[in-house]
Amino acid sequence: PPSLAWRGSALGMRGQRSGMLRLQRSPSFPLLCSALLLFLLPISLGQNTSWVSPTKPCTSPLYLPTCPVAQQCADAWYNVSFLDKFTFSVAATHPVYGSVTMRVNSYEAASASEVAFLLRPYEWSNLDFVNPTYAPAASVATWSKFSRPNNNVTMLTFSWNLTAQESVTVKPGIINISMSAEYKFASLPSNNSACNKTFHFVVCGNPYFELTPKVDTTPFLGAPKFQTFPAQNYMCGVRNPCIVTPGRTEVINGKTVNVYDFGMYNKATLINRGVYLEEPLEVHVSAITFNYGNRAKFFVAVDPGIPIGMQVDPEPCPTNATENVCYKISWTPRASNLLDPVVMGGPTQSLYAFFYAQTEQTLPYGCASKVSPMSAIKFTVMLPNSRWTLQAPSTVQRAFVGTEFAIQVMCYSNYVSSVVAQGPSRGNITLVNSTVYPNGEMEVAYMFKYFPVRGDEGHTFNWMFSCGDSKRIVPPVTSTLSLKIELCAYTVVPMDTLTTLTRRYQLSTNWLNLWNANPTRVPDPDMNLEVGEIIKVGPVYHTMAGETLAAIAGKFSTTVKQILNVNPQLSMQTPDTELATGTEMCVIACTSLPNPSMVYKWAY
């Protein structure tokens, strides 16, 4: 009122004169005090709600927003991890003092005399999150826990339960939520809002692995299902090694390890036969991260490490993704790598190559370093195991000059089986059949042949056959063939007659000696004999004690030269040296006497 203004002026002049301000009591004094109090209260008309948390890097009391607007409105970044329950809070204050009803109410503006947050989220469910929950609940009218009397601060708390990494079906990105804080009072303009504030949630997972060659295309344990790679055309099977994915967990030395099984598999049963010794192996490993602002790194575990002789070398990744790294593991398992001596028929043995991956941050707000679980490739090594399914006869076999001798042997092995013959060089062995069974094991059949010729009579030849893996990693199983070439016997070939036989083998000057040794044959010396027949040229004599070649020649009216002609096994024997008792020899009698018959034809 004008009177109040005047009194104030008068008092002011008097105060200047007296050096002090004095108020005189008047009937209008209470009204004056009320007016001064209203003058001192903050004027909220046109002011906005202010963010008080989060406002990094600035901090201020919750009831007094002192941070610059730029920092109040700055984006907030959070790292969240799979299988974690992530909780965060936001708080804002409005400029009106006094006890007012506050409300935490998502997705809605405040009604009269209420204050609330307004959420504007997007990309809300692309991580298969359980929908966020809020505290206090949306319908509860209450002070927030940050509030003090006359400090109009309200807070909203979010809780997210993140799923397991291997359950994710959509590649996670940066989850963004935009939010504003608004108030509305009956006596003031409505919906004066703080700036929109954006919250970025960087979803962080462990690095994982992709391996080839593999039996199927299912990702390894821990690998999200969204990850894809170019198709790999590998011939996996019972004789071509591959990795089975996904992996599995195994406790090794008291620690849980993610294990890949490497071997040769029956695709129908996925039974692992193992891998061959002395065969080079190759595995391609990709260490992968989907984390924002991260790069994967691959490490071989120092302890327990990798098998002796294994090479781990970097190589380009199939997708050319700079955030991933790829390595080639090369190894040829050898018997010396095994923990136990290699023995015939021994079981399979397993060796592990241990490794892990780690991420490093490359961009601001990127995920902090993450480490994969310890992983290992389990190489199941198959030891060779071979056996005969048809071996050489255990008894001495008989053969005749001019007749080919042949037998078949068969070898069965879990490796690439083969048969080798060692003995006189004229023996010939060839592969005639090879069968690979559904379990990957192999059976081979070989034919052995020997053709006795003149000069082999009386000799016994031995060949040793060995059945085993083709590289002879372990000692093979063996069997021995003994072949005795019969004395005094020859094989008829086409156009043979008694006459031509006596001429070819220089048996006698008289075909009758040959006829006498074969009384059932035709008497005509010029008649063709049946091809393949065995013709005897005389008896086989067993020497007695003290006998010599000269003595035996005299006994049978023949010559030492003639005896040696049909007994090449005695070629080193001198005429007067005693022979071992029981020595076998072919004897054609009466070759030193005149022909006793006038019915003859000269052989030559």
Side-chain angles (χ1 to χ4, degrees):
S3 59
L4 178 61
W6 177 84
R7 287 177 183 173
S9 300
L11 287 172
M13 290 185 289
R14 266 184 279 198
Q16 284 181 339
R17 289 196 297 266
S18 62
M20 57 187 302
L21 176 63
R22 297 166 59 188
L23 291 176
Q24 290 185 350
R25 184 175 180 82
S26 71
S28 301
F29 185 75
L31 183 59
L32 173 63
C33 292
S34 299
L36 288 173
L37 180 61
L38 288 172
F39 178 78
L40 295 173
L41 288 176
I43 299 174
S44 59
L45 182 62
Q47 294 184 9
N48 287 333
T49 302
S50 299
W51 293 105
V52 291
S53 180
T55 56
K56 292 181 179 181
C58 177
T59 58
S60 65
L62 290 176
Y63 57 88
L64 185 62
T66 59
C67 294
V69 173
Q71 294 189 12
Q72 289 185 38
C73 299
D75 291 1
W77 290 79
Y78 297 92
N79 285 354
V80 295
S81 298
F82 288 106
L83 284 182
D84 282 353
K85 180 177 181 179
F86 178 72
T87 301
F88 76 102
S89 300
V90 294
T93 183
H94 59 82
V96 179
Y97 276 80
S99 297
V100 294
T101 302
M102 295 196 178
R103 183 182 181 195
V104 177
N105 192 356
S106 62
Y107 304 109
E108 297 179 13
S111 60
S113 301
E114 294 178 336
V115 64
F117 285 104
L118 176 63
L119 289 175
R120 296 189 181 92
Y122 55 97
E123 297 185 22
W124 185 257
S125 60
N126 69 341
L127 261 185
D128 297 336
F129 285 136
V130 175
N131 283 336
T133 57
Y134 313 106
S139 61
V140 175
T142 181
W143 290 91
S144 77
K145 68 180 182 180
F146 283 170
S147 296
R148 300 178 182 178
N150 300 325
N151 297 331
N152 296 322
V153 177
T154 191
M155 179 181 73
L156 183 60
T157 299
F158 297 82
S159 294
W160 284 349
N161 294 310
L162 279 74
T163 186
Q165 179 171 332
E166 58 267 25
S167 300
V168 174
T169 57
V170 180
K171 185 173 182 177
I174 300 175
I175 310 303
N176 303 299
I177 299 176
S178 180
M179 190 183 302
S180 67
E182 302 181 358
Y183 67 87
K184 180 178 182 181
F185 293 100
S187 58
L188 297 173
S190 62
N191 291 325
N192 288 310
S193 175
C195 54
N196 282 348
K197 191 172 182 69
T198 301
F199 299 84
H200 306 281
F201 302 94
V202 179
V203 181
C204 302
N206 293 327
Y208 61 96
F209 299 102
E210 172 78 4
L211 289 86
T212 52
K214 58 186 177 182
V215 171
D216 56 34
T217 57
T218 306
F220 175 60
L221 178 67
K225 299 175 184 177
F226 59 77
Q227 185 66 41
T228 58
F229 281 85
Q232 305 284 348
N233 296 319
Y234 291 100
M235 297 298 295
C236 299
V238 293
R239 302 186 71 82
N240 298 284
C242 280
I243 287 175
V244 168
T245 60
R248 58 183 179 81
T249 58
E250 181 177 330
V251 177
I252 302 174
N253 297 329
K255 297 182 179 180
T256 300
V257 178
N258 290 340
V259 174
Y260 304 91
D261 289 292
F262 190 85
M264 296 184 292
Y265 295 89
N266 183 325
K267 288 187 178 180
T269 63
L270 286 187
I271 294 176
N272 186 357
R273 298 182 60 224
V275 297
Y276 295 132
L277 287 167
E278 305 299 333
E279 288 288 337
L281 305 175
E282 197 170 277
V283 183
H284 301 271
V285 181
S286 300
I288 302 167
T289 180
F290 53 76
N291 295 349
Y292 169 77
N294 271 194
R295 179 172 54 233
K297 301 179 75 175
F298 178 86
F299 298 93
V300 172
V302 176
D303 185 15
I306 58 178
I308 296 173
M310 182 173 286
Q311 292 282 110
V312 181
D313 300 303
E315 65 177 357
C317 288
T319 58
N320 295 317
T322 57
E323 69 272 16
N324 303 328
V325 292
C326 298
Y327 280 78
K328 180 176 70 175
I329 297 177
S330 305
W331 184 50
T332 300
R334 305 191 186 280
S336 58
N337 293 128
L338 302 182
L339 303 177
D340 300 321
V342 179
V343 295
M344 248 323 289
T348 58
Q349 294 185 15
S350 297
L351 293 94
Y352 294 80
F354 291 87
F355 54 90
Y356 64 96
Q358 185 173 351
T359 61
E360 63 177 2
Q361 185 175 343
T362 57
L363 294 175
Y365 308 116
C367 294
S369 178
K370 291 278 189 178
V371 180
S372 73
M374 182 63 71
S375 302
I377 301 176
K378 182 179 181 180
F379 294 90
T380 299
V381 180
M382 176 175 55
L383 301 184
N385 186 2
S386 305
R387 69 180 187 274
W388 290 110
T389 50
L390 180 62
Q391 64 180 359
S394 57
T395 57
V396 176
Q397 301 297 293
R398 299 168 62 228
F400 303 92
V401 171
T403 298
E404 184 178 69
F405 175 85
I407 61 167
Q408 182 172 283
V409 292
M410 299 177 69
C411 174
Y412 191 97
S413 178
N414 58 351
Y415 270 54
V416 177
S417 49
S418 71
V419 175
V420 175
Q422 293 178 303
S425 59
R426 292 201 340 261
N428 181 42
I429 188 168
T430 55
L431 176 68
V432 293
N433 188 51
S434 176
T435 303
V436 177
Y437 293 97
N439 63 358
E441 298 185 349
M442 182 179 185
E443 185 178 45
V444 291
Y446 283 77
M447 184 66 69
F448 174 79
K449 296 180 179 180
Y450 182 78
F451 192 86
V453 297
R454 184 73 202 283
D456 288 344
E457 307 97 306
H459 288 92
T460 298
F461 301 106
N462 296 299
W463 288 269
M464 184 179 72
F465 299 97
S466 58
C467 160
D469 62 274
S470 59
K471 295 188 177 181
R472 295 301 188 260
I473 299 168
V474 299
V477 291
T478 61
S479 65
T480 300
L481 168 68
S482 292
L483 184 63
K484 181 180 180 181
I485 313 303
E486 291 293 306
L487 290 165
C488 294
Y490 299 91
T491 304
V492 173
V493 297
M495 306 303 295
D496 264 353
T497 65
L498 294 181
T499 301
T500 59
L501 282 174
T502 58
R503 180 182 299 116
R504 182 184 311 129
Y505 295 118
Q506 301 177 11
L507 302 175
S508 171
T509 59
N510 193 337
W511 64 270
L512 289 175
N513 283 331
L514 198 57
W515 181 81
N516 286 330
N518 299 272
T520 60
R521 302 296 185 267
V522 294
D524 188 342
D526 294 324
M527 182 177 292
N528 289 338
L529 300 173
E530 184 177 349
V531 175
E533 278 190 289
I534 303 301
I535 296 295
K536 293 185 177 296
V537 296
V540 175
Y541 177 72
H542 294 78
T543 62
M544 295 182 292
E547 286 189 310
T548 64
L549 288 178
I552 294 171
K555 180 187 293 188
F556 290 98
S557 300
T558 186
T559 64
V560 170
K561 180 179 179 181
Q562 183 61 33
I563 291 176
L564 293 176
N565 184 45
V566 292
N567 292 278
Q569 80 279 12
L570 301 176
S571 59
M572 302 303 293
Q573 191 74 28
T574 60
D576 297 322
T577 302
E578 290 186 5
L579 299 167
T581 302
T583 300
E584 290 185 345
M585 65 175 62
C586 178
V587 176
I588 302 177
C590 303
T591 60
S592 62
L593 299 175
N595 292 326
S597 173
M598 297 300 295
V599 183
Y600 62 89
K601 292 185 178 179
W602 294 105
Y604 47 87

